[in-house]
Amino acid sequence: SQQGEEDPQALSIQEGENATMNCSYKTSINNLQWYRQNSGRGLVHLILIRSNEREKHSGRLRVTLDTSKKSSSLLITASRAADTASYFCATDPRDDKIIFGKGTRLHILP
Amino acid sequence: DAGVTQSPTHLIKTRGQQVTLRCSPKSGHDTVSWYQQALGQGPQFIFQYYEEEERQRGNFPDRFSGHQFPNYSSELNVNALLLGDSALYLCASSFSLGGSYNEQFFGPGTRLTVL
């Protein structure tokens, strides 16, 4: 079963704009993580947010977590060409294995 | 620090054959997880090894097996290959703490093609 679902599936924005992608999940979790993947290569960890946290920042990244709505969002501010990648959320359900969503493909237009 | 390394980078096999993929974790990490990623999909969890034992397993058949060595490196073995096993196989390492998943560091992956 699909635990994490990213939305939208694909997103194209102009360089300099902000990009927002969302992740919804079904069961209670210990934490939620966001990863980036460039062109089918290995994933790069971006942020881990625990179930008792509501917001975290890392550079141009801002992640929010709403456990009541079982959703998270990833905001990338002042986007750059190098941000073009696929972004995945991964949830760590309690008493279950980690599950990745299908990802959001972000394309930054010059 | 070399990070997570995987070998080989690419592999071509035929149906029915067996394959072994290898992973060396990041220095200081004791936990290795394996994922299968089909084209256009997210990674699917295969299994996780900690202290040389399989700690968790995803919904994969017994054709998929693994091993972790005392130096924390790991192998993924797939027997009786099917066309549907063609995918990018990712290894991720982490430091086990508190039972829940922590930040995972991924290797570049092994691209397996089954003909």
Side-chain angles (χ1 to χ4, degrees):
Chain A
S1 63
Q2 198 70 34
Q3 165 74 336
E5 293 279 356
E6 292 90 345
D7 171 61
Q9 292 185 347
L11 179 62
S12 292
I13 61 172
Q14 293 294 136
E15 192 170 10
E17 294 182 337
N18 296 340
T20 299
M21 53 205 85
N22 304 293
C23 171
S24 60
Y25 57 92
K26 297 177 182 177
T27 62
S28 296
I29 59 173
N30 289 317
N31 63 56
L32 184 146
Q33 304 181 56
W34 284 92
Y35 288 84
R36 184 186 75 229
Q37 185 178 38
N38 293 86
S39 302
R41 299 176 63 85
L43 280 73
V44 174
H45 183 268
L46 298 176
I47 288 183
L48 181 153
I49 186 166
R50 301 201 183 276
S51 60
N52 60 353
E53 297 176 313
R54 291 297 168 258
E55 187 171 313
K56 282 188 91 167
H57 296 256
S58 177
R60 294 184 296 112
L61 306 180
R62 171 177 169 257
V63 168
T64 62
L65 179 64
D66 187 333
T67 54
S68 66
K69 295 182 179 178
K70 292 186 172 58
S71 67
S72 173
S73 67
L74 170 65
L75 168 67
I76 303 174
T77 60
S79 62
R80 305 168 181 170
D83 296 328
T84 294
S86 291
Y87 292 81
F88 296 91
C89 70
T91 52
D92 172 15
R94 294 170 186 172
D95 302 323
D96 204 350
K97 55 192 178 293
I98 190 169
I99 300 176
F100 281 80
K102 293 184 178 181
T104 292
R105 294 185 305 279
L106 175 64
H107 184 55
I108 307 301
L109 304 169
Chain B
D1 184 1
V4 180
T5 61
Q6 291 186 244
S7 63
T9 305
H10 296 87
L11 203 52
I12 299 175
K13 293 285 188 179
T14 57
R15 282 177 296 175
Q17 285 189 313
Q18 178 265 344
V19 67
T20 297
L21 310 181
R22 295 177 176 82
C23 171
S24 292
K26 181 179 171 63
S27 178
H29 286 182
D30 57 6
T31 302
V32 173
S33 302
W34 286 92
Y35 296 85
Q36 179 194 67
Q37 186 178 25
L39 201 60
Q41 301 294 313
Q44 298 291 311
F45 177 78
I46 302 176
F47 41 55
Q48 183 183 78
Y49 277 84
Y50 171 69
E51 292 188 341
E52 301 180 53
E53 291 192 358
E54 184 182 289
R55 184 159 70 173
Q56 276 192 329
R57 187 180 182 90
N59 296 324
F60 280 80
D62 292 344
R63 298 186 297 109
F64 290 77
S65 63
H67 189 75
Q68 185 178 36
F69 299 93
N71 66 353
Y72 305 116
S73 66
S74 177
E75 288 183 349
L76 164 66
N77 300 291
V78 186
N79 294 322
L81 285 167
L82 303 174
L83 295 179
D85 295 331
S86 295
L88 180 68
Y89 288 84
L90 295 163
C91 167
S93 73
S94 58
F95 179 68
S96 183
L97 181 66
S100 66
Y101 286 87
N102 297 296
E103 177 183 356
Q104 296 186 90
F105 289 76
F106 280 79
T110 294
R111 174 73 61 185
L112 172 65
T113 302
V114 182
L115 303 177

